[in-house]
Each structure stands twice: as C-alpha cells, then as structure tokens.
Amino acid sequence: MNFRLAQVIVDVPSRETDRPFDYSIPKSMQGWIEVGSRVGVPFGHRTVQGFVVSLKKDSEMDSARIKPVAELLDLVPPLPPDLVELAEWMSRKYACSMISSLQAMIPAALKGKAERYISVAEQEKENYGDSADSLFVMQPLLTGEEEEIVTYVKASGSVTLDHLNTRFPGQAGIIKGLISQGVLSEVQLIKDKVRKKMVKTVAATVSGNEAEVALSSFTAQARRQKEVLQFLLEVGIPLSLQEVLSTLRVTAGTVKKLEEKGYAVIEEVEVFRDPYQNRRFKGTEPLQRTPEQDVVYSRISAALDDRTFGTFLLHGVTGSGKTEVYLQTIERCISSERQAIVLVPEISLTPQMVERFKGRFGSKVALLHSRLSHGERYDEWRKIREGKVQVAIGARSAIFAPFRNLGLIVMDEEHETSYKQEETPKYHARDVAVHRARQHGAVVILGSATPSLESYYAARSQVDDKFAPVLLEMKQRPSGSHLPAVHIVDMREELRDGNRSMFSRALHAGIASRLERGEQTVLFLNRRGYSTFVMCRTCGYVAGCPECDISLTYHQKSNNLRCHYCGYATPAPSVCPECGSEHIRYFGTGTQRVEGELAKLFPGIRVVRMDVDTTSEKGAHEKLLQAFREKKGDVLLGTQMVAKGLDFPDVTLVGVIAADTALNLPDFRAAEKTFQLLTQVAGRAGRHQLPGEVFIQTYMPEHYSVVHASGHDYDSFVREELKYRKGLHYPPYSKLILVTLSHEKLPLLLRMAENFAGDIRLKAQRLGWYGNLDRFSSEALDIMGPVASPIPRIKNRYRFQCMVKYRGSMDVVGLVREIALTTHHNLRDSSLQISIDVDPQMLM
DNA sequence: AGCACGCCGACT
DNA sequence: GTCGGCGTGCTC
C-alpha cells in the first residue's frame, strides 16, 4: 500500500493556515513518511517545518499545485499516531490551532527553523569550469562586488545566508539579485536546535594470538601506542576516547596512529545526556501496605489487570502514604509490559521526590522537568520514545510522553493549578490525561489530600459520564503520628489590643521559644494575595461586589473599586462603611517586608528567604533548602514553594502570616485555594518525634475555609463550598470559557468586544441555548461582559474580556470559535487578537 | 508568520 | 526617473 500524498500541518501560527496542506511524497521517502512524521515542506516562498497528520492515495484533482515534501526530519516519527489524534482532540476542546497542540507535545529542541544555504548554481560551474581565474571571463555581466561574492561562495562550497550577510554587510540586495539571476542557488533545510550528543570511542580490533603479535611488533619509539593497545586489551570493551587519553596521558595522535595500523577503531556513537549520571540512588523496597492502602491497591490493580479505561480519585490525608500506593501500582503496571506516566506539580519535583522514584525504579525512569537543558530534555524524551524506559515523571507536559502502550497515569496533587497551562494551548493536564488513558485503555489515578471540587463532585455525583472517577479514601497516617494542633489567631483582636505588627503575640512568642530551644520555624506568606484589595483593619470588612459576591479590586489610578466579573465600580471609601473606622486600607505584603520585620523583632535571627527573587538561579532552590536542613537558618520564610512536600525533622512551628490574602481575590476559587494551601501548610509541622504547632493569622477567623482547614476537615469544607458554588452557578455546576480580546485602539476594541458578546448572545438564542442559569433547565448559557481585563493593557494593547458560563453538553467552544473567526473576518484587521481560555483557572 | 507584489512620496 | 515606504493577500 503506497501512499502518495501527505497531509501536513505547517508551522505557521495563523488562523488561515490552521488546516492540513497536501504534499506529494517523493519515491525515496515512501514507506518512511508516516502519520506523526516531522517534515520540511516548501510553503509560499520559503521552507517550513510541518507534521504529517494523515496519508492519502493519489487524487487526480488539484494535482498541479501540489509540491513535494522536501525533507524528512527524523527516521522515527516523533509523534505516535495516538498523539496526533490527541492533538486533534485538544485543538477542538481548547479552541487552539493544530500546530500549537502538536508543538506542545515535542521537546523544544525539535522546533526546527529553516536555515538557508547558498551555493554557486550548477550550470554556472559547468559553463565556466572550476578555476578561479576564469571568473572574469565567465561573468562579464557581473559587477566587481558581485564577482567578489560569487568567488567567495565558490571557494567555500556552501554557506548559510546568515553567514554571507555578515561577511558582506549591506549587500543583501546584491545577494538576492544573484539568486534571482540564477548565478547563485539556494537550498533551505530545517535545522534543529540541538544535535544528538556524540562521543568518540576506541576499541581494539585484535585479540588473542593476533594481539600478541601486534604488541611485539611495536618499536621502542612507539611505546605509547603499545601502552594504549595493552590498555584496550585489558579492558576488553570499547572505551570513550576521552577516558583513554586522560588515564594514559597520551594524545589523540597516538591513538590515531594505532587506528592507522589497523589495531584499533575509533567510532562515533551517540550518547544520552544523563543529568543524574554521577548520582547513586539507594534502592528501596516496597513497604508493607496498611489495610487502607491495600484496599486502594487492590481496586486499582483489578482495573489495571482489566486493561480497560478507568479513573480513580484517591483522597488521602497528608502523610497517608499515597506515594507508596503510586509506586506499587506502577510496579504492577510495568511488570505487565505497559508504561506509566507520573505527573507532579513542577514545584514538588524536588530531589526527595526524584530519589524516591529513582530508588525504586532506577534506570527505568525518565525525568522531565523545566530545569533540564534543551539537550537533556530531548534525551530523556528520546529514551521514552525508543522504549528505553517504562516510567516518565514530570510536570504538566509529561502527559505527552510518547509511550506506545500506556497502562497507568498518576497525577499527584491533582488540585494544583499548575496543571493548567496558561499559554496556548491552554490545556489542563487532568483532562488530557483522561483522554489519553481512554485511548490506551489505561487507568488514571488522581491523588490529593484536598481534591479539586471538580474532581470530587464528579466522583461523588457520578454525573459526568465522560469523567466520573471512582472515589478511594485513605484517612490514616501509617506512621501513627498525629496531625498538628492548629490555632487560629484573630488579627482584628491584635489590632484592638494595640499590636500593629504583622506578627501576633502568639506567633511572636512561638518564634521566640523556638529560637531559645534551637528548633526551627517555617513562615508562610501567600503570594497570591499580593494584589491589592480593600479591607478594614478594625472589623475585617472587605469591599465586595453586590452582584457577584466577590471582592472588589482597588484601582489606584481612578481611586475606585471594581469587579472583574461584571464591571461594577464604586469610589474607594475612606472610612469603613460597616463600622466607620478609619483603619480601612488596601492590603498587600511581601516576603521582604516580613524579613525586615523579623530582623527588627529578633536581632541576629537567621532567615532563609525563598521567593522568586532568591530562587531564580539554577539549583538555588535546592541550596536554600539544604542550608535550612543543615540548620543554617532559624526561619524558613517563603511563598507557595515552602508549602509543598517538605519534611524537616526540627520544624515544630509553622506560621501563616495572613491566611486571607488569597481569600479576597476576585476569584470564585479563592476559598478552595485558601483551604488547600492552609491544609498543605499545616501538614508541614511535627511530622517527626517533636510535636508540631501551627498558627494561622487571619482577619476572617470565622471563614469556613480557615475553620475547616484548622480542623483538617475536608468534607465539611466541600459541603459549604459546593453550596456557594451552586448558588452562583460556578463550576462544577457550570462550565466557563473566558474570551479576551485585545487591540491597540481602545474605542475600536470596545466596539468589537460588544459585537462579539452580542453575536454570541444572538447565536445562542437562535440555537435555544441562551437563558439565565437560574431557570430550571439542563441547558443554559449566559455571557457576561465585556469588561476590562484585570490587566487592562499589556504591551500597549488594551484588553477586554467576556465570560461565557453554561450548563449542558452543547458545543459552546465550537460556537465561540466560530464567532471569533467571523469577528476577525468582518474586521479584516489582523491586529485584533481573540484569545479563548476553556475552563480557565486564573481569573485575574 | 513571512514574504512578495504593488502602488504612492522623497531623493540621486 | 528610481529607491523604498508598508498595506494586502497567499501559502498545497
């Protein structure tokens, strides 16, 4: 069966080119080009990279315009067919282009760009021979400048256009002219960002008797060569040239001579860059399962053995041993010749985590994380594609690990927002995982101590037939250790009693006593609260939107308060509307401020500060934690990153500076995120012999997210939170699509945004979808806005957004995409950008 | 996105 | 007269 045509998605990010283009497959590439192949194709006036998404037999129609594939870029297609299918699904689900979906699936190293190579045209060489001095005869029509360039190109054979441009600056026009005259010719080839790493190896070609003869044949002068051969014979396996040179202190010339005599061969072989090659990992054995773990393990194992698609939501308290369950189910999966993907939030891809998996599975594991170089990442990825490993661990994008026979996908901390990509393609790894597992008949485990409401609701109600996980629970800690005592500190009381510091008296005393006893403290600051909101320091009143039940954002420029959902605005009050106090002000605090205050209150205190500023350097994260572990600091102060998976034996106090900073963000998930974080943080203290204590400072001590986090009570929290969500028709009781329009000209943008929202409304009405979500019906759709985006201008472009909120299984994404397309088409102005975020996580 | 084509203003 | 400004339209 010979396919003659390849349908190719080209690497040109525009709406008009977001469809397959047909190319003929040259004889030489037939059989090699498959679905998922990466190719170089002529496109317009240049060559671009593309991906083959399907193959066709010859079609008689429109054959005249069809060009051939220029180049096949990899011997093995980088994408197996199921990933191409997944890309199609992603593009539909998230309203993004095919090329962006495909690009997200391969390592950045393979984002090839065309390189233009220039050489002297063939007929020119033939006509005028090869000798340089015949040039003046041959080109009477060429100017001196032109001649100089041609001579240069001829002498070097083939040069890149870039090189030629730097060698002959300001003469780009002349070079272009020579190409169009046919004197010079141009070839475009796709060049990858990294090459495979090659290493030279040396091996002896003789052995036994032959070797004896060879060794005795060396003269005294060639004694170094003799040493090399002896060494090679002793070792008996090929060695890297580098190794031979450094151990014997000989030069490459010596080895080369040996090769010339035929006693050895030097070969170039490709190697994998292994970022962990110099590290030894202590092997670990599976632990004895607790009864709880055993129940969970058997349920999942049964599903694995069935080899049919299934999803589990594993709700286990911090320290209940979820990781051990993962490890053992992975073991079971790979022992049946199938592979497993483990997804973790980037932030928890810590050395401890790595050690645990490497310790159990050793070289069967590939690690994909953002700190790897392009080359290292590419190599880890190739180990997966070539079947050299059975387990892939990584952040979000590891869901695209090119395994061919997936059996299990584990998603740890499934509630983490980092699983949603904020750039195009704006996919959620959880949904992609479920779809991929379905393709492979694989099992998904979503694990968390504080599951997302979406997952928990789906598991509880079994309502969504596409994704209804089976709920599994683990409520005990195998170690028998107790969850720490959590104290809520009312900061309003502190102020009333005259304490204006950011530390309550209780926390202050706590830190002081830890300093005395030589124990350690972790202080947590929620960075998400950095944006400003208005709050009364006397009574805790927070300005909220009357329509949306969400706190308002303070805008300094206009001195008013605004709602990001409905556009409501009101002047900023100077006294509290609730209690009349003048202590009303906008809030916001940073780690630096806390550090400064600590230094003032506790002279000589050693603070390890972890935030974006101090951890931007490679490895800084690990270094800071190591320093704290070695007790080079009394206090570890940081944001999110101190909350995750850390385990220090001497930490007996955890303080949350301001629990409610995130609560007041204009985000309907504010309570959920606060609860998750507080629960996470509270799990940090007292994990070992020393008992732990947690202080949560807050201005809203009665808020249910704070109360239930302090009681380690997930169920009660969820009950209240679902009530709130249901009342306002937020997920999981509805689905959201956030559409952001941007343009340089504000009036035009505003008009377009109004038009867009109007068109959606109109079309939805015609389809019978439109209507208030309050009405009793399984299908309803509402569109809010347009309103100015939380960041109203980025890079000189104004931004407006609309929020589509709906219930039912209608293809609303399709509708939004269609209207976006026509809006664009009608305006004929390519500078209008419309970005669509399906299931948005960040609403500000 | 590029890149060429094409139609109007400041220069040798 | 021509060089070159960037609007518009196409890419199998």
Side-chain angles (χ1 to χ4, degrees):
Chain A
M1 198 160 33
N2 266 338
F3 294 102
R4 295 276 197 55
L5 280 182
Q7 296 203 289
V8 176
I9 298 289
V10 292
D11 183 13
V12 178
S14 114
R15 264 194 191 89
E16 292 81 68
T17 53
D18 184 25
R19 60 185 175 85
F21 287 85
D22 289 349
Y23 289 88
S24 62
I25 302 174
K27 271 262 152 55
S28 63
M29 295 182 202
Q30 277 185 18
W32 289 99
I33 289 189
E34 299 168 55
V35 168
S37 286
R38 198 168 56 108
V39 290
V41 290
F43 195 69
H45 305 277
R46 69 217 152 101
T47 299
V48 297
Q49 178 179 294
F51 292 91
V52 176
V53 289
S54 67
L55 296 172
K56 283 203 302 194
K57 299 247 159 128
D58 236 335
S59 72
E60 288 79 49
M61 306 181 295
D62 67 4
S63 53
R65 289 162 70 207
I66 290 178
K67 295 180 186 174
V69 172
E71 205 183 347
L72 176 63
L73 297 172
D74 320 85
L75 283 178
V76 184
L79 296 171
D82 67 289
L83 281 180
V84 174
E85 198 270 325
L86 186 72
E88 275 157 10
W89 172 83
M90 259 172 69
S91 294
R92 241 175 300 126
K93 157 106 189 168
Y94 296 106
C96 63
S97 67
M98 261 303 272
I99 194 63
S100 65
S101 293
L102 292 164
Q103 297 279 29
M105 295 176 172
I106 57 163
L110 294 185
K111 260 187 195 169
K113 266 196 85 180
E115 186 86 62
R116 306 169 69 161
Y117 294 91
I118 309 296
S119 56
V120 174
E122 277 308 309
Q123 69 270 28
E124 293 294 323
K125 281 193 212 157
E126 277 169 30
N127 288 352
Y128 303 106
D130 256 77
S131 82
D133 55 10
S134 65
L135 261 176
F136 83 101
V137 197
M138 78 189 225
Q139 321 270 356
L141 299 170
L142 296 186
T143 66
E145 279 173 323
E146 287 174 335
E147 240 181 70
E148 205 185 321
I149 295 170
V150 173
T151 313
Y152 181 80
V153 172
K154 184 168 225 168
S156 34
S158 172
V159 280
T160 66
L161 183 61
D162 281 348
H163 174 83
L164 214 53
N165 278 331
T166 37
R167 176 68 182 72
F168 299 98
Q171 301 189 41
I174 299 172
I175 296 168
K176 225 157 134 193
L178 286 167
I179 294 168
S180 58
Q181 280 174 57
V183 180
L184 296 180
S185 71
E186 185 200 344
V187 179
Q188 295 188 26
L189 292 170
I190 305 290
K191 214 176 155 218
D192 290 341
K193 284 201 177 131
V194 288
R195 303 252 109 235
K196 288 173 184 164
K197 193 175 168 186
M198 305 297 268
V199 84
K200 284 190 173 138
T201 63
V202 198
T205 52
V206 288
S207 60
N209 268 349
E210 249 185 299
E212 293 299 324
V213 178
L215 282 174
S216 56
S217 75
F218 285 103
T219 62
Q221 268 185 323
R223 72 166 214 289
R224 299 298 265 167
Q225 290 175 38
K226 190 173 173 179
E227 278 169 31
V228 172
L229 184 56
Q230 261 171 339
F231 184 61
L232 289 175
L233 287 166
E234 257 167 55
V235 181
I237 54 165
L239 287 172
S240 85
L241 182 62
Q242 220 22 261
E243 220 177 318
V244 174
L245 299 187
S246 60
T247 40
L248 295 181
R249 303 200 163 278
V250 294
T251 59
T254 314
V255 185
K256 195 83 195 286
K257 266 270 153 45
L258 205 61
E259 188 189 24
E260 281 166 16
K261 286 182 181 164
Y263 298 141
V265 277
I266 301 177
E267 269 180 324
E268 270 208 300
V269 295
E270 92 177 75
V271 289
F272 291 104
R273 278 156 283 226
D274 184 356
Y276 294 93
Q277 65 179 346
N278 294 323
R279 301 242 336 242
R280 292 269 171 278
F281 293 97
K282 219 167 50 212
T284 64
E285 290 302 310
L287 304 173
Q288 181 69 41
R289 291 189 294 274
T290 65
E292 261 188 348
Q293 287 174 332
D294 200 57
V295 170
V296 170
Y297 175 76
S298 341
R299 285 295 300 272
I300 299 171
S301 295
L304 265 176
D305 296 347
D306 265 0
R307 294 189 172 236
T308 52
F309 166 68
T311 308
F312 294 93
L313 177 59
L314 176 54
H315 177 207
V317 298
T318 45
S320 61
K322 290 189 289 292
T323 309
E324 187 58 33
V325 172
Y326 302 155
L327 289 167
Q328 295 194 25
T329 43
I330 292 164
E331 185 76 66
R332 189 167 186 115
C333 170
I334 63 179
S335 68
S336 67
E337 303 300 309
R338 296 199 292 171
Q339 300 96 40
I341 294 174
V342 182
L343 298 175
V344 294
E346 179 70 48
I347 208 152
S348 58
L349 212 52
T350 54
Q352 288 126 293
M353 176 87 192
V354 169
E355 216 146 307
R356 196 133 180 221
F357 277 86
K358 279 274 186 184
R360 193 71 62 90
F361 301 114
S363 59
K364 291 178 188 157
V365 181
L367 275 156
L368 299 161
H369 61 83
S370 63
R371 297 288 190 177
L372 296 180
S373 70
H374 272 177
E376 287 169 342
R377 214 184 148 78
Y378 173 51
D379 286 351
E380 292 294 296
W381 178 84
R382 271 195 306 148
K383 282 188 210 162
I384 298 165
R385 195 192 58 185
E386 289 162 19
K388 293 194 165 66
V389 294
Q390 282 72 247
V391 183
I393 305 176
R396 190 173 57 224
S397 65
I399 192 57
F400 304 119
F403 284 129
R404 290 181 186 264
N405 200 7
L406 260 179
L408 178 66
I409 300 173
V410 173
M411 184 179 232
D412 191 29
E413 311 282 351
E414 69 87 33
H415 62 277
E416 274 295 314
T417 47
S418 65
Y419 284 124
K420 174 80 199 255
Q421 176 148 46
E422 294 300 330
E423 302 84 45
T424 314
K426 300 181 177 180
Y427 66 92
H428 198 299
R430 189 201 297 132
D431 298 327
V432 179
V434 169
H435 192 266
R436 233 194 138 192
R438 193 188 295 274
Q439 288 178 311
H440 286 257
V443 168
V444 181
I445 306 175
L446 305 172
S448 176
T450 52
S452 66
L453 273 119
E454 281 90 338
S455 299
Y456 192 77
Y457 179 76
R460 261 297 166 78
S461 58
Q462 294 287 310
V463 72
D464 188 345
D465 57 324
K466 283 187 194 140
F467 162 60
V470 174
L471 184 63
L472 302 171
E473 309 224 40
M474 298 202 299
K475 298 190 165 172
Q476 279 143 31
R477 293 180 151 186
S479 64
S481 71
H482 287 284
L483 291 164
V486 180
H487 312 282
I488 299 173
V489 183
D490 186 347
M491 291 303 277
R492 295 170 305 184
E493 233 167 71
E494 295 292 314
L495 189 69
R496 239 173 271 141
D497 294 348
N499 177 14
R500 305 178 126 250
S501 137
M502 61 176 80
F503 297 105
S504 60
R505 289 159 297 184
L507 183 57
H508 187 278
I511 297 170
S513 71
R514 295 318 184 280
L515 283 173
E516 256 170 52
R517 278 185 264 155
E519 293 169 7
Q520 291 177 300
T521 302
V522 170
L523 288 180
F524 174 75
L525 189 72
N526 202 341
R527 203 173 166 276
R528 272 179 60 80
Y530 208 86
S531 91
T532 47
F533 62 95
V534 167
M535 183 171 77
C536 172
R537 299 246 287 176
T538 307
C539 71
Y541 163 83
V542 173
C545 174
E547 302 293 322
C548 304
D549 216 3
I550 262 167
S551 55
L552 297 170
T553 306
Y554 176 68
H555 288 252
Q556 202 167 20
K557 254 192 193 152
S558 47
N559 194 39
N560 66 11
L561 306 175
R562 276 187 227 157
C563 172
H564 286 155
Y565 280 69
C566 65
Y568 172 85
T570 180
S574 52
V575 295
C576 175
E578 209 90 313
C579 72
S581 159
E582 284 180 355
H583 292 305
I584 187 160
R585 32 168 275 171
Y586 46 87
F587 227 67
T589 183
T591 43
Q592 274 150 322
R593 255 187 67 195
V594 179
E595 190 181 18
E597 189 130 352
L598 276 171
K600 238 189 289 166
L601 292 172
F602 306 99
I605 195 169
R606 297 166 306 161
V607 178
V608 177
R609 179 162 64 93
M610 274 190 25
D611 56 25
V612 251
D613 296 336
T614 61
T615 55
S616 50
E617 259 175 71
K618 189 170 176 166
H621 193 243
E622 285 76 28
K623 251 185 235 155
L624 290 172
L625 291 177
Q626 191 58 34
F628 188 65
R629 189 182 305 277
E630 288 164 6
K631 300 199 78 171
K632 286 176 183 156
D634 306 306
V635 173
L636 178 65
L637 165 66
T639 53
Q640 251 81 330
M641 42 187 103
V642 304
K644 298 273 144 52
L646 305 179
D647 207 353
F648 302 105
D650 288 322
V651 170
T652 57
L653 175 65
V654 171
V656 180
I657 307 285
D660 30 38
T661 48
L663 270 180
N664 295 296
L665 292 173
D667 182 338
F668 71 88
R669 277 186 253 262
E672 182 183 1
K673 282 177 190 155
T674 299
F675 176 81
Q676 288 164 348
L677 262 169
L678 293 180
T679 306
Q680 204 81 245
V681 174
R684 290 310 112 216
R687 299 188 67 142
H688 296 265
Q689 285 84 355
L690 299 167
E693 217 179 357
V694 178
F695 288 98
I696 297 176
Q697 301 190 155
T698 174
Y699 287 91
M700 309 171 88
E702 67 290 328
H703 193 281
Y704 61 96
S705 65
V706 178
V707 173
H708 295 318
S710 75
H712 308 282
D713 187 356
Y714 178 80
D715 291 346
S716 301
F717 168 75
V718 167
R719 217 170 303 129
E720 291 211 37
E721 181 66 7
L722 283 177
K723 226 185 291 162
Y724 154 79
R725 300 277 181 99
K726 191 168 191 175
L728 291 161
H729 310 297
Y730 279 122
Y733 297 97
S734 71
K735 294 170 196 164
L736 301 179
I737 302 172
L738 179 69
V739 184
T740 306
L741 298 92
S742 71
H743 196 277
E744 286 165 315
K745 299 194 178 85
L746 187 55
L748 178 80
L749 172 64
L750 192 54
R751 207 171 62 238
M752 294 319 292
E754 297 279 5
N755 284 351
F756 176 83
D759 287 352
I760 296 265
R761 222 165 263 136
L762 215 71
K763 190 76 191 266
Q765 240 153 23
R766 222 175 291 153
L767 289 162
W769 298 348
Y770 189 72
N772 196 317
L773 273 81
D774 280 330
R775 87 183 168 172
F776 185 77
S777 129
S778 59
E779 286 188 354
L781 180 152
D782 205 352
I783 178 163
M784 279 152 292
V787 296
S789 290
I791 308 167
R793 194 169 63 150
I794 294 177
K795 285 184 192 165
N796 262 330
R797 298 176 63 88
Y798 291 93
R799 295 149 52 86
F800 269 80
Q801 65 184 36
C802 305
M803 181 71 82
V804 181
K805 202 179 200 180
Y806 70 100
R807 176 171 69 219
S809 54
M810 317 87 89
D811 180 20
V812 181
V813 176
L815 168 73
V816 170
R817 191 180 208 175
E818 184 195 318
I819 302 290
L821 222 71
T822 50
T823 304
H824 223 269
H825 197 76
N826 292 342
L827 183 64
R828 300 166 55 80
D829 182 347
S830 59
S831 57
L832 175 74
Q833 278 174 19
I834 305 177
S835 125
I836 302 169
D837 188 352
V838 178
D839 305 335
Q841 294 292 310
M842 302 272 281
L843 292 170
M844 53 150 310

